[in-house]
Amino acid sequence: MFAFRFGEVRRQLVVLSLAVGVLAACSNETTVDVISRVEATPATLSLTRIGGFEGGVLGASEITAFDPASRRLFVVNGANGTVDVLDLSNPSQPARAGTISIAALGAGVNSVAVYDGLVALAIEATRKTNPGVVAFYNAADLRLLHSVAVGAQPDMVTFTPDGRFLLVANEGEPNSYGLADSVDPEGSVSVITVNRTGISTVATADFRSFNGQESALRAQGIRIFGPGASFAQDLEPEYIAVSPDSKTAYVTLQENNAIAIVDIASARVTSLKPLGVKNHNIAGAGLDASDEDGGINTNTGTPAIKIAPFPVKGMYMPDAIAHFTIGNTPYLITANEGDARADWPGFNEETRVRAHCTAGLDPTIFPDAANLILDSNLGRLRITNTPNGGSTGKNAAGQCNELYSFGARSFSIWSTDIVRVFDSGDDLEQRTKALSQVAFNASHDNNTLDSRSPSKGPEPEGVVIGKFGDKTFAFIGLERVGGVMVYNVSNPTAPVYVTYLNTRTGTTGDRGPEGLTFISAAQSPNGKPLLIVGNEVSGTTAIFQVNLTY
């Protein structure tokens, strides 16, 4: 009987293996894609921090990428302008195996990606407004293979799923506005055809064809507001997601509150999609708008937790974006961080409600306007003074009739034609208000209650997708209060909260999660799915194990 059962099991394994091969050969899916559909589906999951690497200083761990063959983790070290190479053979005890210095190529590394032993680094020029460089290295011996020129300030790199192309989001930020030495380079997306044995070739998906259409694009809801900037100069590509067939890229234009869709083969921007705004004035979509909301209708309040609806419009302004498929339907998920133009001389759009609305709020728009503008209500909230182009959000009397905040304090799910199908509302703030080891809405560099309430709250920045059997999960990094929140997004219109792990304690531990990397069990050194988190402020690289419960 035992011999029969063993033989039957072996026969079934052979049949399954042949079926997987046939399915993969007859479709655009890889063998791994097919296997993922027949693996067991967990009831739920949890996260455990099983190891970490202490960079020790601010910026020592930002973006990460993993090479399964060499079991090496590549970590952007912004403090040193280098890449730390960690041996991840034992994920609970990562150790530095080497360092990649790019001193001869530029000022520092902004991003890293790995595909089949090939490492790509996005390197910013010494003068950030000059063209940057992408350099290719061999993962096993860290040998520089070649480098190519790309656009100004390459901010994110990613390989297409088939490995044929490397895409680069060239952010093209200005050094200043309106000054004698001001330079505002154009934003663009570099499409690099990868050549492992020679020199890769570069094509550029730019935005020049949209120059002159600024008025029409603003009317659609795309923010174009940099002083003196053309449309191509004003756009700042931030992050890229790619369709499974490697044909289409979706690029977040964070400051512009939009997404660009790029045809990869032709290196052409085919469309621009505005993201609209979030209504924070409905139940379940509120926010904590003040760090002085412990009082009632006052300008001298104290910090308190007060998540409530307010008449504010949140600009989604996502940072990270990821692609996933449920059934045969593709979706995008965004981490709606928000980002103001406030980092260089000549222009600063960021202000507070009470400072901006010196003539008060328009009482026909805002009920109880006289009290609403006080610091215990909306007065402390950081908003833009330039919603779009020349608009100020004020009426003829100078009273504010619209308030636009940065980011939506949420994650959103969109169709691939950029129609929103879900937003997490105020769930991220609600689930971080009772943490035992860190104050509510503390920032990554303090443990002050309510510190970030007037400015983007927990600030979701990173998002990656993991699939286990028939379930798909989203892992979302919260840059300010810290930690990773997990949702089951198998039903994209109604995601379900699963778990949250925050491994900081006050002003110690892992703080400022910047980049997330998911490693499947099939590629993991210990056979368990892993989540790697680069924490910029603490300089720590955290290794989380994803524990599946069946």
Side-chain angles (χ1 to χ4, degrees):
M1 180 67 72
F2 176 81
F4 171 78
R5 287 180 177 173
F6 177 79
E8 178 64 17
V9 168
R10 183 172 59 185
R11 184 189 69 80
Q12 291 179 2
L13 288 175
V14 170
V15 170
L16 175 61
S17 177
L18 289 173
V20 165
V22 170
L23 285 170
C26 296
S27 72
N28 291 326
E29 298 183 22
T30 65
T31 303
V32 173
D33 292 328
V34 177
I35 290 175
S36 71
R37 290 217 307 269
V38 298
E39 70 179 355
T41 299
T44 189
L45 61 79
S46 62
L47 298 176
T48 304
R49 191 186 196 276
I50 62 170
F53 184 80
E54 300 291 331
V57 295
L58 174 69
S61 180
E62 297 180 353
I63 307 301
T64 65
F66 179 66
D67 177 52
S70 64
R71 296 187 171 183
R72 287 180 158 184
L73 183 71
F74 296 82
V75 182
V76 171
N77 187 324
N80 296 333
T82 60
V83 173
D84 290 330
V85 183
L86 306 183
D87 180 357
L88 211 65
S89 298
N90 180 356
S92 64
Q93 295 181 322
R96 185 185 280 115
T99 300
I100 299 176
S101 172
I102 53 80
L105 296 172
V109 183
N110 288 337
S111 185
V112 58
V114 177
Y115 188 94
D116 194 20
L118 184 65
V119 182
L121 305 183
I123 301 170
E124 188 172 307
T126 302
R127 181 179 172 88
K128 77 169 189 175
T129 53
N130 287 345
V133 167
V134 165
F136 293 94
Y137 294 81
N138 184 49
D141 59 13
L142 308 185
R143 177 169 48 95
L144 174 63
L145 302 176
H146 66 278
S147 63
V148 294
V150 292
Q153 201 182 2
D155 194 52
M156 188 266 183
V157 289
T158 186
F159 285 95
T160 55
D162 62 9
R164 292 181 56 208
F165 300 99
L166 180 81
L167 306 182
V168 189
N170 302 305
E171 190 166 12
E173 289 181 344
N175 62 353
S176 60
Y177 285 108
L179 305 182
D181 64 346
S182 292
V183 178
D184 188 356
E186 294 181 355
S188 64
V189 177
S190 294
V191 179
I192 301 174
T193 302
V194 176
N195 188 336
R196 289 175 176 265
T197 59
I199 304 298
S200 299
T201 56
V202 184
T204 302
D206 61 42
F207 299 92
R208 294 175 185 171
S209 64
F210 297 95
N211 284 344
Q213 302 178 40
E214 286 83 0
S215 295
L217 293 166
R218 285 192 186 103
Q220 294 173 24
I222 297 173
R223 297 186 76 213
I224 311 166
F225 62 103
S230 69
F231 182 76
Q233 289 174 313
D234 203 61
L235 293 196
E236 297 182 6
E238 188 80 27
Y239 210 96
I240 304 171
V242 185
S243 61
D245 61 8
S246 300
K247 292 181 178 180
T248 307
Y250 303 88
V251 185
T252 57
L253 308 171
Q254 187 171 30
E255 288 78 2
N256 311 100
N257 197 33
I259 287 176
I261 301 178
V262 177
D263 178 72
I264 295 173
S266 63
R268 185 173 64 89
V269 178
T270 58
S271 61
L272 300 167
K273 301 288 187 177
L275 296 177
V277 294
K278 175 175 178 173
N279 181 5
H280 282 293
N281 203 27
I282 59 176
L287 72 164
D288 190 315
S290 176
D291 54 354
E292 296 184 7
D293 45 8
I296 302 297
N297 296 334
T298 177
N299 286 329
T300 58
T302 56
I305 301 174
K306 184 181 178 182
I307 304 169
F310 284 102
V312 173
K313 298 176 180 179
M315 299 178 291
Y316 289 95
M317 304 178 76
D319 188 328
I321 184 172
H323 188 288
F324 67 102
T325 302
I326 301 298
N328 294 319
T329 305
Y331 295 94
L332 301 169
I333 183 170
T334 57
N336 303 320
E337 178 196 21
D339 193 22
R341 282 182 174 156
D343 296 331
W344 42 81
F347 177 68
N348 181 357
E349 68 164 314
E350 188 176 59
T351 185
R352 295 185 191 269
V353 169
R354 191 155 71 96
H356 182 57
C357 305
T358 54
L361 302 176
D362 185 340
T364 66
I365 303 295
F366 298 97
D368 198 21
N371 286 323
L372 198 59
I373 199 172
L374 298 175
D375 287 350
S376 60
N377 298 314
L378 285 179
R380 297 277 296 163
L381 181 66
R382 294 185 183 273
I383 59 170
T384 179
N385 58 25
T386 314
N388 196 349
S391 170
T392 60
K394 296 182 178 181
N395 62 20
Q399 297 171 319
C400 288
N401 54 16
E402 290 182 307
L403 303 176
Y404 291 90
S405 62
F406 301 101
R409 308 189 186 198
S410 64
F411 71 91
S412 298
I413 297 177
W414 314 77
S415 65
T416 51
D417 56 356
I418 319 303
V419 174
R420 191 174 63 257
V421 300
F422 175 81
D423 183 80
S424 62
D426 60 15
D427 204 45
L428 301 185
E429 277 193 299
Q430 295 286 0
R431 295 187 182 280
T432 58
K433 68 182 181 182
L435 296 174
S436 61
Q437 78 277 29
V438 58
F440 170 74
N441 272 354
S443 192
H444 44 35
D445 59 357
N446 63 50
N447 191 31
T448 304
L449 175 65
D450 247 4
S451 173
R452 295 297 296 179
S453 290
S455 182
K456 299 184 285 186
E459 205 164 321
E461 177 162 2
V463 59
V464 292
I465 294 292
K467 186 172 183 182
F468 311 99
D470 293 331
K471 290 183 179 178
T472 300
F473 295 84
F475 301 84
I476 299 143
L478 306 183
E479 182 182 11
R480 295 292 174 163
V481 73
V484 175
M485 209 166 280
V486 186
Y487 286 79
N488 180 346
V489 296
S490 302
N491 180 353
T493 63
V496 177
Y497 168 80
V498 177
T499 190
Y500 174 47
L501 180 62
N502 190 323
T503 50
R504 72 180 280 183
T505 301
T507 56
T508 64
D510 299 316
R511 289 168 292 119
E514 181 78 9
L516 307 181
T517 298
F518 175 75
I519 302 173
S520 67
Q523 296 185 325
S524 171
N526 70 351
K528 303 289 186 180
L530 302 175
L531 182 71
I532 314 298
V533 184
N535 296 283
E536 181 180 19
V537 174
S538 58
T540 55
T541 304
I543 316 298
F544 291 172
Q545 182 170 291
V546 182
N547 306 304
L548 305 177
T549 302
Y550 295 92

